[in-house]
Amino acid sequence: MAKKNKYYVVWNGHSPGIYTSWAECQKNITGVSNVRYKGFPTLEAAEAAFEDDADNYWGNKEAKKQLSFDDYDNNPDIVSNSLSVDAACSGNPGVMEYQGVYTVSGTQVFVKKFPLGTNNIGEFLAIVHGLAYLKQHKLNIPIYTDSKIALSWIKAKKCRSKLPLNHQTKDLFDVIKRAEDWLKTNTYSQELLKWDTKNWGEIPADFGRK
């Protein structure tokens, strides 16, 4: 039986990207310190992973489990009185949605869906939506996200997606512009914290579609 084709994501190598053979992947990771790479069965899965945080894939051989709400509340490393946000995308780009929930109770406080977007855009918008929600309700609690990329975009006050602007994405880009404007015209005291997926399981706002 012929070997099934695989796609290889290199997050940290000589030339990060998606490769269609192990030989190409190997050339890009050989001799690199702190290398990050992983194979995927489909291009869609590889593209979604490439836009995600490598820590969610590299070095975690065990299946990720969802901790119980009691685990969150009793874990001294987790700020239980907090908001957690996450995004999901069916294809990348594809149908995208994001949501925010209270970390311990799992109570959903907002959710949005768009016909075309990317996971990183959803993660970015979820954080901004969370900040605006907390400011509106005068809540000074931290926000958890599992996306390093989205955190960097928040710091820059700019969505750096390469998704093209067209008739399918116009409404999404209008929302992105409003989010960027909000960041430029508002201050906030809430902490933005990185969720430790490897040790804590999936973030409570995860859509559970992996």
Side-chain angles (χ1 to χ4, degrees):
M1 181 181 291
K3 185 177 179 181
K4 185 177 181 181
N5 291 330
K6 291 189 74 173
Y7 297 85
Y8 296 88
V9 173
V10 177
W11 291 277
N12 186 35
H14 296 297
S15 182
I18 299 173
Y19 296 90
T20 56
S21 75
W22 169 242
E24 289 179 300
C25 175
Q26 192 172 33
K27 276 193 275 185
N28 277 279
I29 62 176
T30 300
V32 177
S33 60
N34 196 33
V35 68
R36 295 286 187 272
Y37 70 94
K38 188 176 178 67
F40 294 87
T42 67
L43 179 59
E44 181 181 84
E47 288 175 338
F50 185 55
E51 288 217 15
D52 202 353
D53 187 341
D55 288 345
N56 290 336
Y57 302 88
W58 172 259
N60 188 6
K61 304 299 184 186
E62 297 179 0
K64 299 169 187 172
K65 71 183 185 72
Q66 181 74 45
L67 300 184
S68 70
F69 295 139
D70 285 342
D71 290 329
Y72 297 143
D73 205 18
N74 296 324
N75 188 327
D77 295 325
I78 298 174
V79 182
S80 57
N81 186 21
S82 59
L83 191 70
S84 292
V85 300
D86 199 23
C89 198
S90 302
N92 211 27
V95 177
M96 180 271 287
E97 55 193 320
Y98 70 78
Q99 66 177 345
V101 306
Y102 285 116
T103 300
V104 171
S105 69
T107 302
Q108 186 184 74
V109 293
F110 59 79
V111 62
K112 293 289 183 180
K113 189 172 184 178
F114 298 88
L116 189 65
T118 70
N119 195 68
N120 283 338
I121 292 175
E123 300 275 11
F124 171 78
L125 292 177
I127 295 173
V128 180
H129 196 145
L131 288 170
Y133 173 87
L134 295 179
K135 185 164 189 174
Q136 179 185 2
H137 292 84
K138 297 181 172 57
L139 297 172
N140 190 16
I141 61 175
I143 295 177
Y144 277 110
T145 175
D146 60 10
S147 174
K148 285 183 180 178
I149 292 174
L151 286 172
S152 71
W153 290 1
I154 294 293
K155 185 176 181 180
K157 301 180 181 180
K158 182 72 176 177
C159 175
R160 290 173 169 162
S161 174
K162 295 180 181 178
L163 184 72
L165 172 59
N166 53 40
H167 70 282
Q168 291 181 294
T169 60
K170 182 182 180 301
D171 290 344
L172 174 61
F173 273 90
D174 288 344
V175 176
I176 291 172
K177 178 65 166 56
R178 291 202 299 271
E180 292 173 338
D181 290 344
W182 190 95
L183 290 171
K184 292 171 184 175
T185 56
N186 286 270
T187 59
Y188 57 88
S189 58
Q190 293 84 359
E191 284 187 280
L192 300 181
L193 303 176
K194 176 68 172 61
W195 184 262
D196 187 352
T197 304
K198 184 174 181 179
N199 293 310
W200 302 342
E202 298 294 350
I203 193 167
D206 182 66
F207 283 87
R209 296 174 191 160
K210 292 183 176 59

